[in-house]
Amino acid sequence: MARKTVKAEWLSQINKAAGRSISEKIISFDGAVADYLEHGEIKGLSEFTVKSYQKELKELRRVFVNNNVDLSDIRALSERDFAAFVKSQLDAGFARTTINVRLRTAKLFGNFCVRKKYTDENFASNVSTLKVRHEIGATFTRAQLKRLLDTPDITTFEGVRDLTIMRMFADTGMRLSELTSINLQDVSMADRSINLQRTKNRYARRIPLTKRLYSLLSIYLRIRGVNGSTDSLFITAGDEPINNRTVQYQIREHGRRSGVLSEVQCSPHVFRRTFAKFKIQAGVDIFTLQALMGHSDIGELRNYVAIYSTDLDDAIEKGAEYS
């Protein structure tokens, strides 16, 4: 037998019918979002994750306002509002993967509101995510990668730094946020490795250095020198920690100057995809690749294996020896 529950929207009616004067605490959408983001910070979520939630919920709010949804009481939201949000995003031309990220954020937010008893039901959870074709994004060819790495002017500090950064992306497959968070003490030249402390899944991991990356990083460290203003591994000419936007801009500029940008997108994530492609083509198993790249699960990597593995080519003739 289903358990009977008293919905929040009925409480005022019950109190009125019973002549009760008990006041109800009403939480607005904005108030609930503020509590949710604060909860994420207290829980220890990364700054990147909290900002991502903030960005997606801001977009959700924008659409709600455009659709004249009442945001003064979080209990007033309905399944229809979230379904309308998805439709408006599709009509606006957003990618299905982007819409799914926003919908998943809304569902996590809804779960939080239910746990806090701000509302009785998470109506976002009733809206299904969109079906997405599993495709692999752009990657560099070996020739394109060589042209990119040949572009920086190594007679300048910035040129050596950018070359080292691009080589690190190419040889480790690390994320942009991971690279810009590396401090000098995270680099172990004696052990020929980097210990990533600030990762997406919050699990530190050790990344060995290739011989060529070790050699290049050794030279970069000598040019960088030691100063008291910052411990960041990669810095600007003014001894400030380099930020994500600068790295993205510099890679794009080298892509433009080399001509690679006219052929394929040039970004840290394309380096990451390329790293996965080359490792799979070289026969590295998926679990080792997962450890190197810091994936929480191998779901995404399975797509790379399906496209780039040569196992099927090797297996196609086996069992076909008949006359």
Side-chain angles (χ1 to χ4, degrees), residues 236-252:
T236 66
D239 289 339
E240 295 294 327
I242 198 168
N243 57 43
N244 291 359
R245 189 179 298 274
T246 298
V247 174
Q248 291 169 322
Y249 174 80
Q250 290 299 108
I251 289 177
R252 185 175 176 82

PDB file of all heavy atoms in Angstrom, residues 236-252:
ATOM      1  N   THR A 236      53.339  33.965 -15.819  1.00  0.00           N
ATOM      2  CA  THR A 236      53.473  34.972 -16.862  1.00  0.00           C
ATOM      3  C   THR A 236      54.865  35.595 -16.786  1.00  0.00           C
ATOM      4  O   THR A 236      55.631  35.326 -15.845  1.00  0.00           O
ATOM      5  CB  THR A 236      52.421  36.078 -16.689  1.00  0.00           C
ATOM      6  OG1 THR A 236      52.702  36.787 -15.462  1.00  0.00           O
ATOM      7  CG2 THR A 236      51.022  35.486 -16.607  1.00  0.00           C
ATOM      8  N   ALA A 237      55.174  36.442 -17.747  1.00  0.00           N
ATOM      9  CA  ALA A 237      56.465  37.142 -17.732  1.00  0.00           C
ATOM     10  C   ALA A 237      56.563  38.070 -16.519  1.00  0.00           C
ATOM     11  O   ALA A 237      57.662  38.421 -16.088  1.00  0.00           O
ATOM     12  CB  ALA A 237      56.647  37.931 -19.019  1.00  0.00           C
ATOM     13  N   GLY A 238      55.412  38.437 -15.963  1.00  0.00           N
ATOM     14  CA  GLY A 238      55.390  39.296 -14.787  1.00  0.00           C
ATOM     15  C   GLY A 238      55.346  38.521 -13.486  1.00  0.00           C
ATOM     16  O   GLY A 238      55.021  39.085 -12.431  1.00  0.00           O
ATOM     17  N   ASP A 239      55.665  37.215 -13.543  1.00  0.00           N
ATOM     18  CA  ASP A 239      55.717  36.353 -12.363  1.00  0.00           C
ATOM     19  C   ASP A 239      54.367  36.164 -11.674  1.00  0.00           C
ATOM     20  O   ASP A 239      54.301  35.948 -10.460  1.00  0.00           O
ATOM     21  CB  ASP A 239      56.740  36.883 -11.339  1.00  0.00           C
ATOM     22  CG  ASP A 239      58.170  36.699 -11.823  1.00  0.00           C
ATOM     23  OD1 ASP A 239      58.386  35.845 -12.697  1.00  0.00           O
ATOM     24  OD2 ASP A 239      59.060  37.417 -11.332  1.00  0.00           O
ATOM     25  N   GLU A 240      53.286  36.226 -12.451  1.00  0.00           N
ATOM     26  CA  GLU A 240      51.954  35.933 -11.926  1.00  0.00           C
ATOM     27  C   GLU A 240      51.536  34.541 -12.378  1.00  0.00           C
ATOM     28  O   GLU A 240      51.923  34.095 -13.465  1.00  0.00           O
ATOM     29  CB  GLU A 240      50.930  36.964 -12.437  1.00  0.00           C
ATOM     30  CG  GLU A 240      51.157  38.382 -11.953  1.00  0.00           C
ATOM     31  CD  GLU A 240      50.957  38.520 -10.459  1.00  0.00           C
ATOM     32  OE1 GLU A 240      50.092  37.795  -9.913  1.00  0.00           O
ATOM     33  OE2 GLU A 240      51.649  39.344  -9.838  1.00  0.00           O
ATOM     34  N   PRO A 241      50.736  33.825 -11.575  1.00  0.00           N
ATOM     35  CA  PRO A 241      50.255  32.496 -12.000  1.00  0.00           C
ATOM     36  C   PRO A 241      49.476  32.620 -13.304  1.00  0.00           C
ATOM     37  O   PRO A 241      48.647  33.521 -13.454  1.00  0.00           O
ATOM     38  CB  PRO A 241      49.349  32.051 -10.848  1.00  0.00           C
ATOM     39  CG  PRO A 241      49.800  32.853  -9.674  1.00  0.00           C
ATOM     40  CD  PRO A 241      50.255  34.174 -10.217  1.00  0.00           C
ATOM     41  N   ILE A 242      49.725  31.740 -14.240  1.00  0.00           N
ATOM     42  CA  ILE A 242      48.993  31.785 -15.505  1.00  0.00           C
ATOM     43  C   ILE A 242      47.586  31.243 -15.264  1.00  0.00           C
ATOM     44  O   ILE A 242      47.384  30.326 -14.467  1.00  0.00           O
ATOM     45  CB  ILE A 242      49.726  30.963 -16.595  1.00  0.00           C
ATOM     46  CG1 ILE A 242      49.239  31.357 -17.987  1.00  0.00           C
ATOM     47  CG2 ILE A 242      49.556  29.461 -16.364  1.00  0.00           C
ATOM     48  CD1 ILE A 242      50.126  30.809 -19.099  1.00  0.00           C
ATOM     49  N   ASN A 243      46.584  31.842 -15.910  1.00  0.00           N
ATOM     50  CA  ASN A 243      45.209  31.387 -15.692  1.00  0.00           C
ATOM     51  C   ASN A 243      44.682  30.611 -16.893  1.00  0.00           C
ATOM     52  O   ASN A 243      45.323  30.562 -17.948  1.00  0.00           O
ATOM     53  CB  ASN A 243      44.281  32.578 -15.365  1.00  0.00           C
ATOM     54  CG  ASN A 243      44.293  33.639 -16.458  1.00  0.00           C
ATOM     55  OD1 ASN A 243      44.261  33.328 -17.649  1.00  0.00           O
ATOM     56  ND2 ASN A 243      44.327  34.903 -16.057  1.00  0.00           N
ATOM     57  N   ASN A 244      43.529  30.006 -16.729  1.00  0.00           N
ATOM     58  CA  ASN A 244      42.947  29.167 -17.777  1.00  0.00           C
ATOM     59  C   ASN A 244      42.738  29.931 -19.077  1.00  0.00           C
ATOM     60  O   ASN A 244      43.021  29.426 -20.166  1.00  0.00           O
ATOM     61  CB  ASN A 244      41.600  28.595 -17.308  1.00  0.00           C
ATOM     62  CG  ASN A 244      41.756  27.581 -16.195  1.00  0.00           C
ATOM     63  OD1 ASN A 244      42.863  27.276 -15.759  1.00  0.00           O
ATOM     64  ND2 ASN A 244      40.646  27.040 -15.724  1.00  0.00           N
ATOM     65  N   ARG A 245      42.225  31.140 -18.962  1.00  0.00           N
ATOM     66  CA  ARG A 245      41.918  31.922 -20.155  1.00  0.00           C
ATOM     67  C   ARG A 245      43.178  32.214 -20.975  1.00  0.00           C
ATOM     68  O   ARG A 245      43.163  32.156 -22.208  1.00  0.00           O
ATOM     69  CB  ARG A 245      41.222  33.234 -19.762  1.00  0.00           C
ATOM     70  CG  ARG A 245      40.679  34.016 -20.950  1.00  0.00           C
ATOM     71  CD  ARG A 245      39.993  35.287 -20.470  1.00  0.00           C
ATOM     72  NE  ARG A 245      38.865  34.975 -19.623  1.00  0.00           N
ATOM     73  CZ  ARG A 245      37.638  34.711 -20.077  1.00  0.00           C
ATOM     74  NH1 ARG A 245      37.411  34.698 -21.389  1.00  0.00           N
ATOM     75  NH2 ARG A 245      36.652  34.458 -19.241  1.00  0.00           N
ATOM     76  N   THR A 246      44.280  32.520 -20.291  1.00  0.00           N
ATOM     77  CA  THR A 246      45.529  32.804 -21.003  1.00  0.00           C
ATOM     78  C   THR A 246      46.037  31.568 -21.736  1.00  0.00           C
ATOM     79  O   THR A 246      46.485  31.653 -22.885  1.00  0.00           O
ATOM     80  CB  THR A 246      46.603  33.297 -20.009  1.00  0.00           C
ATOM     81  OG1 THR A 246      46.162  34.520 -19.409  1.00  0.00           O
ATOM     82  CG2 THR A 246      47.932  33.558 -20.729  1.00  0.00           C
ATOM     83  N   VAL A 247      45.965  30.414 -21.089  1.00  0.00           N
ATOM     84  CA  VAL A 247      46.405  29.176 -21.735  1.00  0.00           C
ATOM     85  C   VAL A 247      45.559  28.903 -22.976  1.00  0.00           C
ATOM     86  O   VAL A 247      46.084  28.562 -24.042  1.00  0.00           O
ATOM     87  CB  VAL A 247      46.315  27.984 -20.757  1.00  0.00           C
ATOM     88  CG1 VAL A 247      46.623  26.675 -21.480  1.00  0.00           C
ATOM     89  CG2 VAL A 247      47.286  28.179 -19.599  1.00  0.00           C
ATOM     90  N   GLN A 248      44.247  29.057 -22.849  1.00  0.00           N
ATOM     91  CA  GLN A 248      43.359  28.829 -23.988  1.00  0.00           C
ATOM     92  C   GLN A 248      43.678  29.782 -25.137  1.00  0.00           C
ATOM     93  O   GLN A 248      43.716  29.376 -26.307  1.00  0.00           O
ATOM     94  CB  GLN A 248      41.899  29.006 -23.551  1.00  0.00           C
ATOM     95  CG  GLN A 248      41.406  27.922 -22.607  1.00  0.00           C
ATOM     96  CD  GLN A 248      40.061  28.259 -21.994  1.00  0.00           C
ATOM     97  OE1 GLN A 248      39.784  29.418 -21.658  1.00  0.00           O
ATOM     98  NE2 GLN A 248      39.212  27.248 -21.837  1.00  0.00           N
ATOM     99  N   TYR A 249      43.915  31.048 -24.786  1.00  0.00           N
ATOM    100  CA  TYR A 249      44.217  32.050 -25.804  1.00  0.00           C
ATOM    101  C   TYR A 249      45.533  31.734 -26.520  1.00  0.00           C
ATOM    102  O   TYR A 249      45.618  31.814 -27.751  1.00  0.00           O
ATOM    103  CB  TYR A 249      44.288  33.439 -25.165  1.00  0.00           C
ATOM    104  CG  TYR A 249      44.737  34.523 -26.123  1.00  0.00           C
ATOM    105  CD1 TYR A 249      43.841  35.091 -27.019  1.00  0.00           C
ATOM    106  CD2 TYR A 249      46.066  34.954 -26.141  1.00  0.00           C
ATOM    107  CE1 TYR A 249      44.254  36.085 -27.913  1.00  0.00           C
ATOM    108  CE2 TYR A 249      46.483  35.924 -27.033  1.00  0.00           C
ATOM    109  CZ  TYR A 249      45.581  36.488 -27.911  1.00  0.00           C
ATOM    110  OH  TYR A 249      45.993  37.452 -28.800  1.00  0.00           O
ATOM    111  N   GLN A 250      46.555  31.375 -25.746  1.00  0.00           N
ATOM    112  CA  GLN A 250      47.863  31.108 -26.334  1.00  0.00           C
ATOM    113  C   GLN A 250      47.825  29.896 -27.267  1.00  0.00           C
ATOM    114  O   GLN A 250      48.428  29.910 -28.352  1.00  0.00           O
ATOM    115  CB  GLN A 250      48.905  30.896 -25.235  1.00  0.00           C
ATOM    116  CG  GLN A 250      49.266  32.159 -24.457  1.00  0.00           C
ATOM    117  CD  GLN A 250      49.860  33.229 -25.357  1.00  0.00           C
ATOM    118  OE1 GLN A 250      49.220  34.247 -25.650  1.00  0.00           O
ATOM    119  NE2 GLN A 250      51.075  32.998 -25.827  1.00  0.00           N
ATOM    120  N   ILE A 251      47.113  28.859 -26.880  1.00  0.00           N
ATOM    121  CA  ILE A 251      47.019  27.675 -27.736  1.00  0.00           C
ATOM    122  C   ILE A 251      46.286  28.021 -29.028  1.00  0.00           C
ATOM    123  O   ILE A 251      46.680  27.596 -30.122  1.00  0.00           O
ATOM    124  CB  ILE A 251      46.313  26.532 -26.993  1.00  0.00           C
ATOM    125  CG1 ILE A 251      47.229  25.979 -25.892  1.00  0.00           C
ATOM    126  CG2 ILE A 251      45.911  25.405 -27.958  1.00  0.00           C
ATOM    127  CD1 ILE A 251      46.606  24.889 -25.055  1.00  0.00           C
ATOM    128  N   ARG A 252      45.240  28.802 -28.896  1.00  0.00           N
ATOM    129  CA  ARG A 252      44.500  29.219 -30.094  1.00  0.00           C
ATOM    130  C   ARG A 252      45.386  30.069 -31.012  1.00  0.00           C
ATOM    131  O   ARG A 252      45.346  29.920 -32.240  1.00  0.00           O
ATOM    132  CB  ARG A 252      43.247  29.990 -29.686  1.00  0.00           C
ATOM    133  CG  ARG A 252      42.353  30.369 -30.873  1.00  0.00           C
ATOM    134  CD  ARG A 252      41.070  31.024 -30.388  1.00  0.00           C
ATOM    135  NE  ARG A 252      40.257  31.461 -31.505  1.00  0.00           N
ATOM    136  CZ  ARG A 252      39.443  30.682 -32.209  1.00  0.00           C
ATOM    137  NH1 ARG A 252      39.342  29.402 -31.890  1.00  0.00           N
ATOM    138  NH2 ARG A 252      38.747  31.162 -33.209  1.00  0.00           N
TER     139      ARG A 252
END
